[in-house]
Amino acid sequence: MRRPTTSDEAFVERLYRDSSGALVTAAYALTGDLTEAEDVVQEAFIRAFSRPEKVAHADNPVAWMRVVTLNIARSRFRRRERFDHLLRRLRPAEDRLPGLEPDHVVLVQALRRLPRKQREAIALFYLADLPVTDIAESLRVSPNVVKSRLHRGRLALAEQLGDRDLQPLPLITGGRHECA
């Protein structure tokens, strides 16, 4: 395969200026969503700019871009359908969802103020009910790092919630959780 030239890249830039509107229209006809259509065309041109020589030397570059654009739109649609189907199957029953009581709102606001790493550990441990070892694997850190983040996160939450005398909650022992 030959290396792309400046003229190949310039060709793709001209192609974008000349045909992106028509490609958005085609994608819109398929997706029914203008924002999604624009994202699809943007992704198609990102692919084109990664291999400008292929586009520049295609028999019909506009047709090539149209095929790429429509394939991306179809792929995104299938992915979204699979995800929606999975969500419908896994969606918890309405009675199991926590209510929007004032305490829950305050807790969520306090969680958002935690540093990201502490928030992730707290959420995965207490909300997703994952054991420390699984959290460590997911975050690519040691179990001791997870335990430290949990400890600091609980202290920060206690302080934010105005309960300075509150001792941080211990990790549940036995079962799925470990002591920290």
Side-chain angles (χ1 to χ4, degrees):
M1 181 183 295
R2 71 181 194 82
R3 296 181 59 156
T5 65
T6 306
S7 63
D8 292 341
E9 292 169 355
F11 178 83
V12 174
E13 287 177 28
R14 279 193 311 280
L15 183 64
Y16 177 80
R17 280 193 308 275
D18 296 343
S19 66
S20 63
L23 292 171
V24 168
T25 301
Y28 178 68
L30 190 62
T31 65
D33 181 330
L34 182 59
T35 303
E36 179 75 8
E38 291 169 338
D39 287 348
V40 164
V41 171
Q42 184 178 32
E43 187 174 335
F45 273 98
I46 288 170
R47 291 182 187 183
F49 276 108
S50 71
R51 299 176 65 194
E53 71 284 357
K54 186 166 181 119
V55 179
H57 298 285
D59 290 337
N60 185 340
V62 174
W64 189 90
M65 287 302 302
R66 189 177 312 107
V67 168
V68 170
T69 299
L70 296 179
N71 283 342
I72 291 169
R74 288 183 198 108
S75 177
R76 284 175 158 215
F77 179 77
R78 283 190 302 269
R79 190 177 320 122
R80 189 174 41 254
E81 272 190 330
R82 285 192 306 267
F83 183 70
D84 289 347
H85 176 73
L86 179 64
L87 282 181
R88 282 191 299 276
R89 284 185 40 223
L90 299 178
R91 183 166 286 139
E94 292 298 320
D95 59 343
R96 292 189 342 214
L97 291 175
L100 288 177
E101 298 170 16
D103 290 347
H104 290 138
V105 173
V106 169
L107 179 61
V108 169
Q109 288 173 341
L111 280 169
R112 286 183 178 161
R113 287 190 295 266
L114 289 178
R116 180 185 55 82
K117 293 177 180 181
Q118 291 174 12
R119 183 175 58 245
E120 289 173 345
I122 294 281
L124 292 173
F125 187 80
Y126 289 105
L127 303 177
D129 197 32
L130 292 177
V132 169
T133 53
D134 288 358
I135 297 169
E137 186 178 327
S138 297
L139 299 178
R140 297 183 179 171
V141 297
S142 74
N144 286 336
V145 169
V146 172
K147 291 176 186 179
S148 173
R149 290 177 184 174
L150 287 169
H151 178 73
R152 289 183 181 131
R154 287 190 305 267
L155 286 174
L157 282 174
E159 186 174 322
Q160 283 185 44
L161 297 173
D163 206 346
R164 299 189 199 306
D165 295 330
L166 178 70
Q167 294 298 315
L169 294 172
L171 294 176
I172 300 167
T173 58
R176 295 178 49 144
H177 298 102
E178 301 173 19
C179 264

